[in-house]
Amino acid sequence: MKEYIVSARKYRPMSFDAVVGQTALTTTLKNAVRSGKLAHAYLFCGPRGVGKTTCARIFAKVINCQNPTADGEACNECESCQAFNEQRSLNIFELDAASNNSVEHIKTLMEQTRIPPQVGKYKVFIIDEVHMLSTQAFNAFLKTLEEPPAHVIFILATTEKHKILPTILSRCQIYDFERMTVKNTIDHLKAVADKEGIKYEEEALAVIAEKADGGMRDALSIFDQAASFCQGNITYQKVIEDLNVLDTENYFRIVDLSLANKVTDIMLLLNSVINNGFDGGLLIQGLAKHVRNVMMAKDPQTLPLLEVSDQARQRYVEQAQRADTRFLYHALRLMNQCDINYRQSSNKRLLVELTFIEIAQITQPDEGTGSGRKPKRLKSLFKHLIQQTQSKQSAPQVAAAATQSQSPRSVTSTQPTTAAPRQPVTTSQQPAASRPAVKASQLGMTWRNLRSQKMQILPGMQTQDEKNLNEHVEFTQEELELQWLGMCNRMPQQYSGLAARMKNMNPTILQMPAVEVVVPNEIIKTEMEVIQRKMQTTLRTYLHNSDITLTLRVAEQQERERILTRREQLDLMSQDNPSVGKLIEAFDLQLA
């Protein structure tokens, strides 16, 4: 049986032209070889699996080639090229700094730099994962890197350039490798599949490319896995099943259902996705990326930003024509907020469900009251209540008007028949009093007391604000502190931080009904002055005294509470409870 070689090794590039997605970088290296302007140290940095070590080997092979081609490639025929291809070259040394990162390893490497090459021009030392070297090893390597022998070239490769000492970076030519684009990855996977005789669907290769996240080695590894699972026929359904990837069809359906305000269908779809083992946060992230792609598809200029297959790009364009830009902006903000709060939420599924409900209601009408929707305006909550009150009040008024209209007829019946006949009254000429205007105050409520407290709605009930106009009830210090704490607990969410500080403050009665609050500093006083009038009104309402005045004062130096050290706190505990001191002496405890 023939030995199996994974695609990442089998199709590893052997020349600069075979390197995928690094055209500018390989062109620079080939020009350096053709012009003979070679540096003594190079640093290749970039994400994993983008060709750093591969380009280092190709570069080492080319600079030692005895007959390089006109475009800067190796001839693959000379003794040096054949020795490299057969992995028996003595001019190229590779060191894995992840496992050889001590000073002794670097000293051994430096000793080998003294020996000139036997075949070829240069000795090339490739140090992979160079950021793993210790600080002492870097310092031992520094002098040789600055002034190496004329026949030595160093090629350093790393995925984390920020971990390398600046003194090392300043002595190297730095080449930044780019992440592989989805298109380049798909094209390379197509070429590999054609060479291996494997059938494929382009959408399946697009899923593999997106899963690889810019790494060609990862893409080839996933490709081998999918080829084994699919038995030579890589299809979209089998790939998402093998890789446990959420089908993009779900994202298209969620957007379509949201545009149609179908909350129930979205909840059923979300339940199905979660039951299949997918995380709600993953669904939010995927949908946010999908909505971003739909937004990019609305403008032909931003359409190239979509790193998807051609078939998927067409679907994005079709959905972008149906989706309003304001809907997409609002949906992205909601999903971004959900993604921020997801990790901290104790009920993650509920957070995701609420986010989807809000997204599905973005395009609903303002006065919509259908199933699964919420009214956009608070006014609609009282619409039916006002109509019912109008109908109840209009009935007795219509009866009274009928009685009044009948009494003149009895008087006029005694008049002579020679009187001029009355003109018929049209509907438009009837008095406007037959349909009285109804205000919210007639229902026993106002907007202010609806927000401030819960009250029983009775016809003709006097509002709380009207009663407080003439109230002068005296109150005690305990009642003042109780209402102050209740006010802090009822403050809106935007003042939660200020409310927490206010709970530690104790309002005092200077002279009835003047109230003073001592605040710790000017910053908090400035924040409280913004809502000072509202706090004063609240205290007047709940303490039933319309003469209350609220003043704020910054605490003096002697009034501020001193923060005790841990030693002082322990001493106070020992004084208050002698058992603590005995426990410390018995076990010879020390304060950490």
Side-chain angles (χ1 to χ4, degrees):
M1 182 177 179
K2 187 177 180 180
E3 182 182 1
Y4 173 73
I5 302 176
V6 296
S7 299
R9 291 179 54 201
K10 185 176 182 180
Y11 296 99
R12 193 167 194 168
M14 300 299 294
S15 63
F16 284 128
D17 292 336
V19 177
V20 180
Q22 311 294 343
T23 305
L25 190 145
T26 55
T27 301
T28 304
L29 293 177
K30 288 193 294 183
N31 292 339
V33 172
R34 285 188 299 176
S35 61
K37 298 178 180 180
L38 300 177
H40 63 274
Y42 296 87
L43 175 63
F44 293 170
C45 52
R48 68 182 188 277
V50 294
K52 301 184 295 297
T53 306
T54 298
C55 286
R57 291 177 178 177
I58 296 174
F59 188 52
K61 174 183 175 181
V62 172
I63 61 180
N64 276 318
C65 179
Q66 298 174 354
N67 301 307
T69 61
D71 58 349
E73 293 282 3
C75 66
N76 286 320
E77 295 179 357
C78 63
E79 175 61 25
S80 177
C81 291
Q82 291 181 0
F84 178 84
N85 294 337
E86 297 173 3
Q87 299 181 359
R88 55 181 178 84
S89 176
L90 300 178
N91 294 339
I92 299 175
F93 298 87
E94 288 193 34
L95 178 68
D96 181 18
S99 56
N100 303 283
N101 52 10
S102 63
V103 178
E104 289 73 14
H105 293 110
I106 294 299
K107 288 182 177 180
T108 303
L109 187 67
M110 295 304 100
E111 292 177 357
Q112 296 179 359
T113 60
R114 302 174 183 176
I115 305 174
Q118 302 299 319
V119 179
K121 302 178 182 178
Y122 301 97
K123 267 195 171 183
V124 183
F125 294 87
I126 302 174
I127 304 179
D128 203 2
E129 302 296 337
V130 69
H131 66 274
M132 299 292 288
L133 289 177
S134 62
T135 304
Q136 293 78 8
F138 269 128
N139 293 331
F141 181 48
L142 190 60
K143 188 62 178 178
T144 305
L145 183 65
E146 184 177 9
E147 297 177 358
H151 59 271
V152 172
I153 292 179
F154 291 103
I155 303 179
L156 315 180
T158 180
T159 56
E160 301 182 33
K161 182 174 66 173
H162 61 278
K163 291 185 178 181
I164 300 178
L165 297 179
T167 51
I168 299 293
L169 296 176
S170 63
R171 290 165 170 79
C172 301
Q173 284 190 8
I174 302 175
Y175 290 82
D176 290 310
F177 283 68
E178 300 176 358
R179 292 175 61 254
M180 298 293 172
T181 63
V182 173
K183 185 179 183 305
N184 289 337
T185 306
I186 292 175
D187 293 340
H188 188 66
L189 293 180
K190 286 181 180 179
V192 173
D194 293 337
K195 293 178 182 179
E196 294 291 329
I198 297 175
K199 299 180 181 179
Y200 59 87
E201 293 180 0
E202 186 172 351
E203 289 186 354
L205 299 183
V207 173
I208 296 175
E210 293 177 4
K211 186 75 173 179
D213 193 23
M216 185 61 73
R217 182 172 62 241
D218 294 349
L220 290 172
S221 299
I222 298 172
F223 175 82
D224 290 342
Q225 176 184 341
S228 300
F229 180 78
C230 301
Q231 293 295 317
N233 185 14
I234 302 178
T235 61
Y236 176 78
Q237 291 296 333
K238 290 184 178 179
V239 166
I240 63 174
E241 179 183 354
D242 179 39
L243 302 181
N244 196 28
V245 176
L246 191 58
D247 191 358
T248 56
E249 183 65 27
N250 294 308
Y251 302 138
F252 284 101
R253 286 189 58 196
I254 290 176
V255 173
D256 290 336
L257 293 174
S258 298
L259 292 173
N261 307 130
K262 296 182 179 179
V263 179
T264 305
D265 295 340
I266 295 178
M267 292 297 101
L268 294 176
L269 179 59
L270 173 61
N271 182 69
S272 176
V273 170
I274 293 178
N275 289 340
N276 288 333
F278 293 100
D279 183 58
L282 179 64
L283 179 61
I284 287 290
Q285 295 173 7
L287 183 61
K289 182 179 179 181
H290 174 85
V291 174
R292 176 261 181 192
N293 289 342
V294 175
M295 187 181 298
M296 296 299 104
K298 292 187 73 68
D299 192 342
Q301 295 182 354
T302 57
L303 191 59
L305 298 179
L306 272 66
E307 294 186 350
V308 295
S309 62
D310 295 338
Q311 185 176 357
R313 182 179 288 106
Q314 183 61 31
R315 293 196 63 186
Y316 279 115
V317 173
E318 294 174 357
Q319 191 169 71
Q321 296 175 356
R322 301 191 300 268
D324 184 65
T325 305
R326 290 174 296 179
F327 165 80
L328 299 176
Y329 281 142
H330 196 175
L332 278 177
R333 284 198 298 267
L334 291 174
M335 287 183 288
N336 182 58
Q337 191 64 32
C338 177
D339 188 36
I340 294 173
N341 299 330
Y342 186 80
R343 185 173 298 178
Q344 302 175 355
S345 176
S346 58
N347 193 341
K348 294 179 172 53
R349 175 163 181 169
L350 179 60
L351 177 63
V352 175
E353 289 176 345
L354 289 175
T355 302
F356 280 130
I357 291 174
E358 293 181 17
I359 292 174
Q361 293 173 345
I362 294 175
T363 59
Q364 81 174 42
D366 288 347
E367 299 295 333
T369 56
S371 174
R373 305 177 186 177
K374 64 177 180 180
K376 289 296 184 67
R377 298 176 182 174
L378 187 61
K379 187 186 299 182
S380 61
L381 293 175
F382 306 97
K383 184 176 181 180
H384 300 292
L385 184 58
I386 294 174
Q387 292 177 352
Q388 292 175 3
T389 307
Q390 287 179 348
S391 61
K392 291 179 181 180
Q393 292 186 0
S394 61
Q397 292 177 1
V398 170
T403 305
Q404 293 175 2
S405 62
Q406 290 177 1
S407 59
R409 291 180 184 178
S410 61
V411 175
T412 55
S413 61
T414 60
Q415 299 291 335
T417 56
T418 58
R422 293 181 300 166
Q423 296 296 329
V425 180
T426 60
T427 306
S428 61
Q429 294 175 346
Q430 292 180 356
S434 60
R435 297 185 63 186
V438 180
K439 299 181 179 180
S441 59
Q442 296 178 358
L443 301 178
M445 56 187 171
T446 62
W447 294 108
R448 180 175 298 176
N449 56 41
L450 276 176
R451 289 191 299 265
S452 62
Q453 61 180 351
K454 298 179 180 178
M455 57 179 293
Q456 185 178 3
I457 301 177
L458 295 175
M461 178 180 174
Q462 188 180 16
T463 63
Q464 188 73 17
D465 290 340
E466 294 173 351
K467 290 194 296 183
N468 288 339
L469 291 177
N470 300 317
E471 288 186 333
H472 307 282
V473 179
E474 293 189 1
F475 51 90
T476 63
Q477 178 68 27
E478 290 77 9
E479 293 174 343
L480 174 61
E481 294 177 358
L482 177 62
Q483 296 302 333
W484 177 269
L485 182 60
M487 178 182 65
C488 295
N489 292 331
R490 292 190 301 271
M491 290 178 67
Q493 181 66 28
Q494 57 182 341
Y495 298 112
S496 59
L498 181 60
R501 298 187 184 98
M502 289 172 55
K503 289 180 182 179
N504 297 326
M505 303 176 189
N506 293 322
T508 56
I509 303 174
L510 295 180
Q511 184 177 0
M512 184 67 65
V515 177
E516 182 185 61
V517 178
V518 180
V519 299
N521 53 59
E522 286 287 349
I523 298 177
I524 298 179
K525 180 184 176 184
T526 304
E527 295 180 2
M528 294 179 63
E529 286 176 347
V530 177
I531 58 175
Q532 183 176 357
R533 295 185 60 185
K534 296 182 180 179
M535 294 191 297
Q536 178 175 281
T537 303
T538 303
L539 293 177
R540 289 178 176 180
T541 301
Y542 284 91
L543 292 174
H544 306 286
N545 193 318
S546 58
D547 299 328
I548 293 178
T549 58
L550 179 65
T551 58
L552 304 176
R553 180 174 63 85
V554 179
E556 300 294 338
Q557 185 66 32
Q558 61 273 15
E559 294 178 327
R560 297 178 183 176
E561 183 180 358
R562 189 173 69 88
I563 300 176
L564 301 179
T565 63
R566 299 177 64 185
R567 171 60 63 182
E568 292 173 340
Q569 294 175 3
L570 181 60
D571 294 340
L572 287 176
M573 291 175 58
S574 302
Q575 294 176 6
D576 296 339
N577 191 351
S579 300
V580 176
K582 295 179 181 180
L583 181 65
I584 295 175
E585 294 177 0
F587 291 95
D588 193 18
L589 300 178
Q590 299 292 332
L591 183 63

